[in-house]
Amino acid sequence: MMLHGLYKMKVEGKKILSCEKIENESQLPQAGDVEKVYYFGDTSKEGVMKVGRCTIDLDGDKFTYYFKTY
């Protein structure tokens, strides 16, 4: 299964311990949370983790984020 969209994940090394799709702003991790945010593009055909500056439509509003590799 390829991921697409915005996800918060708890990762240990190369192993994903938890994964939850973010549908609205209230689901974003808070300061001190162990989850990190990853973006996999807008369509299921992309399926690749995006890095750099990305504009994302989240719950009807557009937000600009900068993603880096961890």
Side-chain angles (χ1 to χ4, degrees), residues 3-10 16-24 26-29 35-38 40:
L3 300 176
H4 69 282
L6 197 61
Y7 287 81
K8 64 179 174 182
M9 297 180 178
K10 182 177 177 184
I16 298 172
L17 303 176
S18 67
C19 177
E20 180 183 341
K21 188 165 186 172
I22 298 172
E23 300 288 343
N24 57 59
S26 68
Q27 293 175 305
L28 289 167
E35 295 95 352
K36 295 190 170 146
V37 176
Y38 297 87
F40 294 92

Side-chain angles (χ1 to χ4, degrees), residues 6 37-39 50-54 56 65-69:
L6 197 61
V37 176
Y38 297 87
Y39 180 56
K50 302 286 188 171
V51 293
R53 184 178 174 187
C54 297
I56 299 169
Y65 295 98
Y66 185 85
F67 295 95
K68 61 181 182 174
T69 57

Side-chain angles (χ1 to χ4, degrees), residues 36-67:
K36 295 190 170 146
V37 176
Y38 297 87
Y39 180 56
F40 294 92
D42 290 325
T43 68
S44 58
K45 292 183 179 183
E46 293 180 71
V48 176
M49 186 178 79
K50 302 286 188 171
V51 293
R53 184 178 174 187
C54 297
T55 300
I56 299 169
D57 188 321
L58 186 60
D59 200 27
D61 293 317
K62 290 193 183 285
F63 297 90
T64 300
Y65 295 98
Y66 185 85
F67 295 95

